[in-house]
Amino acid sequence: MRIRDHPILEFKRGKKIHFYFNGKKLYGYEGESISASIVANGIHVLSRSLRYKNPRGFFCGIGKCSSCLMNVDGIPNVRTCITPLKEGMEVRTQEGYADLPSVSFRGRKKKKIETDVLVIGAGPAGLTSAIEAAKQGVRVLLVDENPRIGGQLVKQTHKFFGSKEEFAGKRGIEIAEILGRKVQEDENIDVLLQTTAFGYYENGKDNFHLFGLVKRVDGEEEVYKVECKSAIFACGAMENMLVFPGNDLPGIYGAGGVQTLMNVYGILPGKKVLMVGSGNVGLIVSYQLLQAGAEVVCIVEAMPRIGGYHVHAAKVRRCGVPILTSHTIVEAKGKERVESAVIGRIDEKWNVIKGSEREIECDTICLAVGLSPSIKLIAQTGAEVRFIPEAGGYVALHNKFMETTKKGIFVAGDASGVEEASIAIVEGKIAGFSAAKFSLGERVEEKDIEKHLRRLNELRAGPFGERGRKAKEKILAMMERRRWDIRRTV
């Protein structure tokens, strides 16, 4: 169902166009993703599991899961959640393993790009990294696999906290526009959108890193070999999943997937929503659902207390949404999509208390249960990766200059540990400055980034910053131990 009226957003839809889904003629709008248009047409089954043929639907909306893989114009395994809809497209669901097209391989020449700093990811950390690096006079190439820059900022309608430097008082959608304009106006920054960095390679040159990129243009692909003196990974994070019966039914979304449909494309994911998780994301997305016209039946939280800021919790409570702490989802029910959910109270050992279960009518379940850093590509570089629970999972070890154990490879934002967008912005500034100086062969001293380090300490102060603070303390301690171990072996 398309959202017609919204208190904040105005959905400027493109030209109305037709496409075919499993042979049926449907309509969507230019600028929408393929899968968003399918959902807007009331179709929720986008694929089926390989073994049991269970129906699966839209989940993450950022190309990280496999739920939306389809055959588009004869090309299998297309990530339809990040592929723009085009006039007359032929889209088909895939049964079982995808059939490879029976065509001969069309060899393409690889285009070569040389740059000083490569930034992978155009969210808050990537954008500020690119801007800060360009200020130092180096050439920057910024790549992102989405059709627009901004990352998660393009979905955020709430006003940010922090200071003027982190755009306090502005909505995420406004911050994306501000940073996007700065990037587009900077002559030192080149941008490649709908472009995926798919590999890191050895090239026999001590002073350069080699990456493979592929850009998708109207069903065709352009392959690039990129040589850079330094690279910044600002790849963000992926939605976490919960294990419970029926957890792959259509109608179960990650919180980011809900925001993509609702705030980017103006499509309501459902009418009655059960929210799982009361961290800031769960509370904010619940309020955004209410703004879009959905009913949030309740919010369940496994912890004995609300996880997010009380100001966000107060807003949804004032709207009559109950927040049930020490509760969890037990089961999702439905045939081809969610029809109801069973929730229950849990004890101090995380076991569901017998007899506390109750069934709730809903057509949508939104999972706001945390994120895991995206580190698959950075692991290819040889940078040391360790599991840090407080950081959200596996992260690349890095120092205070955001440089990893691999010289010339830097990290920033959620890819370095899941925290707030304001912290991603500050880390991006440090990474951009440090990577630029590295590419110029100049040494960076702590005094050069002192104000940013001080700001990070301020943002991580207090109970809500404790998790991120502990994560960085562990990472820096590991880096220090590693440095001494190397010294002892020399």
Side-chain angles (χ1 to χ4, degrees):
M1 183 173 70
R2 296 192 183 276
I3 301 168
R4 302 299 176 188
D5 298 307
H6 196 282
I8 296 170
L9 297 170
E10 181 183 354
F11 301 108
K12 297 177 181 178
R13 310 188 198 279
K15 176 186 173 184
K16 189 174 183 178
I17 56 178
H18 77 275
F19 66 104
Y20 297 92
F21 178 69
N22 289 341
K24 183 178 179 181
K25 189 175 184 179
L26 301 176
Y27 291 90
Y29 293 91
E30 284 185 345
E32 290 182 339
S33 72
I34 297 170
S35 56
S37 292
I38 293 171
V39 173
N41 278 275
I43 299 169
H44 298 279
V45 179
L46 305 183
S47 64
R48 292 188 179 272
S49 63
L50 294 176
R51 177 173 293 184
Y52 298 112
K53 310 303 179 187
N54 292 335
R56 289 180 175 168
F58 196 104
F59 179 74
C60 76
I62 55 173
K64 302 297 185 183
C65 71
S66 60
S67 294
C68 69
L69 293 180
M70 299 187 204
N71 186 297
V72 179
D73 291 335
I75 302 172
N77 291 336
V78 174
R79 294 180 292 174
T80 58
C81 65
I82 61 171
T83 303
L85 184 69
K86 300 292 183 183
E87 181 85 49
M89 268 184 167
E90 293 272 0
V91 183
R92 291 191 174 275
T93 52
Q94 298 176 166
E95 295 295 333
Y97 293 104
D99 294 324
L100 296 177
S102 57
V103 295
S104 59
F105 175 75
R106 291 174 291 175
R108 293 185 179 87
K109 290 183 179 180
K110 293 181 281 290
K111 299 180 180 180
K112 186 176 179 180
I113 298 176
E114 290 187 4
T115 190
D116 294 314
V117 180
L118 170 66
V119 181
I120 302 172
L127 290 170
T128 50
S129 291
I131 293 167
E132 194 66 28
K135 286 180 182 178
Q136 314 312 314
V138 299
R139 294 294 306 173
V140 179
L141 176 62
L142 176 64
V143 303
D144 195 283
E145 61 187 358
N146 291 288
R148 60 191 290 192
I149 59 178
Q152 297 299 306
L153 290 173
V154 302
K155 311 174 187 180
Q156 309 305 327
T157 59
H158 64 285
K159 292 184 178 180
F160 277 47
F161 300 138
S163 67
K164 183 180 179 181
E165 286 72 24
E166 294 89 49
F167 306 98
K170 293 191 180 296
R171 305 183 193 277
I173 52 177
E174 296 173 314
I175 299 172
E177 290 178 358
I178 293 169
L179 293 176
R181 280 196 299 271
K182 287 185 177 181
V183 164
Q184 299 289 355
E185 293 169 359
D186 197 313
E187 294 181 353
N188 284 339
I189 302 175
D190 294 315
V191 180
L192 285 177
L193 296 179
Q194 291 183 255
T195 302
T196 300
F198 60 80
Y200 176 86
Y201 301 90
E202 295 180 356
N203 66 346
K205 297 181 181 180
D206 293 336
N207 299 326
F208 283 90
H209 298 279
L210 177 62
F211 289 86
L213 308 182
V214 59
K215 180 177 176 63
R216 302 174 299 280
V217 183
D218 295 331
E220 296 294 323
E221 295 179 343
E222 296 176 352
V223 179
Y224 297 90
K225 288 174 61 177
V226 177
E227 284 189 351
C228 59
K229 296 177 182 177
S230 62
I232 301 170
F233 286 79
C235 312
M238 302 176 291
E239 299 274 5
N240 287 341
M241 182 46 114
L242 280 182
V243 178
F244 55 89
N247 69 347
D248 58 352
L249 272 173
I252 297 177
Y253 298 85
V258 165
Q259 287 184 308
T260 298
L261 283 178
M262 182 171 59
N263 295 342
V264 176
Y265 300 120
I267 298 166
L268 203 61
K271 295 180 179 179
K272 300 185 73 171
V273 183
L274 167 66
M275 179 65 67
V276 182
S278 73
N280 282 328
V281 173
L283 296 172
I284 289 169
V285 176
S286 292
Y287 191 70
Q288 291 174 353
L289 280 160
L290 295 170
Q291 289 178 312
E295 175 189 355
V296 179
V297 182
C298 67
I299 302 172
V300 294
E301 169 59 59
M303 295 291 286
R305 62 187 180 278
I306 295 170
Y309 296 150
H310 293 302
V311 63
H312 295 317
K315 286 169 70 175
V316 294
R317 277 177 160 165
R318 284 198 300 269
C319 295
V321 179
I323 303 175
L324 308 177
T325 55
S326 296
H327 277 73
T328 190
I329 181 168
V330 177
E331 180 182 3
K333 293 186 173 183
K335 292 182 179 180
E336 292 293 286
R337 68 162 300 170
V338 170
E339 296 171 14
S340 67
V342 178
I343 64 172
R345 177 179 287 276
I346 57 176
D347 59 25
E348 65 277 3
K349 294 183 178 180
W350 300 85
N351 296 314
V352 176
I353 299 172
K354 191 175 181 179
S356 69
E357 303 94 333
R358 59 188 174 107
E359 189 168 345
I360 291 178
E361 182 184 346
C362 60
D363 59 12
T364 303
I365 298 169
C366 181
L367 303 180
V369 292
L371 302 165
S372 296
S374 297
I375 55 93
K376 291 179 180 178
L377 183 60
I378 196 170
Q380 289 186 25
T381 68
E384 185 175 346
V385 173
R386 298 288 290 273
F387 184 82
I388 311 290
E390 294 86 352
Y394 286 96
V395 293
L397 297 185
H398 54 275
N399 58 25
K400 62 184 66 177
F401 304 105
M402 305 309 295
E403 186 177 20
T404 68
T405 59
K406 179 80 171 180
K407 288 294 181 184
I409 299 296
F410 297 79
V411 68
D414 281 354
S416 71
V418 177
E419 296 185 81
E420 298 286 339
S422 54
I423 288 177
I425 289 171
V426 180
E427 285 190 341
K429 292 177 180 179
I430 296 174
F433 179 84
S434 303
K437 291 299 184 182
F438 181 92
S439 70
L440 293 169
E442 300 177 10
R443 183 179 177 85
V444 181
E445 302 291 344
E446 186 169 330
K447 61 182 176 63
D448 298 325
I449 58 169
E450 186 177 0
K451 69 174 183 178
H452 298 316
L453 294 175
R454 188 167 57 248
R455 183 59 186 147
L456 286 176
N457 288 334
E458 292 170 354
L459 289 169
R460 292 183 179 125
F464 287 104
E466 182 180 9
R467 186 179 175 93
R469 187 168 64 250
K470 285 184 176 180
K472 295 300 177 178
E473 287 172 356
K474 283 188 176 182
I475 291 169
L476 292 176
M478 288 179 181
M479 287 291 286
E480 186 65 18
R481 284 199 298 271
R482 186 179 184 278
R483 188 167 68 91
W484 281 107
D485 289 343
I486 291 172
R487 282 186 175 183
R488 283 198 296 267
T489 57
V490 174

